[in-house]
Amino acid sequence: MLALEDVTVRGAIRRSASTFKPKWGESVVAQRTIGLAVMMVALPLVVIVGMMLAVALPVGIADAVVAFGGLVPVSGAMDAVVRVALYRYAVDGEVLGAFSAADLQDSYRPKN
């Protein structure tokens, strides 16, 4: 809300609650799609970095820094894209990019 609307922090919190409660209920839990994708990339990297650490410690450490340091911004960017798409869908029903309305609706589950 802070990044996309001209509101104060308090206003952003209120606006966020009023936007998401009617659509997805009191408590929402995002699906772990991005985390799963990152994990599927990270697991092979763990094996490769492990092998490099066994062969040459400095090279393995450098590989680990590059590999996992690259995953953090990519994961963050993917998360931001999904959050903006969810925001636009919650505010005005607009479906952005390659998402479908079903994808966005299923991204949150009401509290049981």
Side-chain angles (χ1 to χ4, degrees):
M1 296 293 174
L2 282 172
L4 299 173
E5 295 183 6
D6 186 25
V7 293
T8 64
V9 172
R10 182 173 290 175
I13 292 169
R14 286 187 184 134
R15 176 88 169 110
S16 179
S18 69
T19 299
F20 287 93
K21 278 183 187 178
K23 234 183 202 353
W24 291 295
E26 287 291 326
S27 176
V28 292
V29 178
Q31 291 180 338
R32 307 291 188 239
T33 307
I34 292 173
L36 180 62
V38 170
M39 185 180 72
M40 291 180 73
V41 171
L43 287 177
L45 289 176
V46 168
V47 173
I48 293 168
V49 167
M51 290 187 311
M52 292 304 294
L53 286 168
V55 173
L57 187 63
V59 174
I61 291 172
D63 286 348
V65 168
V66 170
F68 298 111
L71 278 179
V72 171
V74 169
S75 173
M78 291 183 345
D79 185 53
V81 167
V82 171
R83 287 178 187 267
V84 168
L86 285 169
Y87 167 79
R88 296 305 311 166
Y89 180 70
V91 168
D92 60 14
E94 181 182 358
V95 177
L96 299 177
F99 297 102
S100 71
D103 292 336
L104 298 173
Q105 184 63 39
D106 291 342
S107 292
Y108 286 97
R109 294 192 187 126
K111 183 179 178 180
N112 291 332

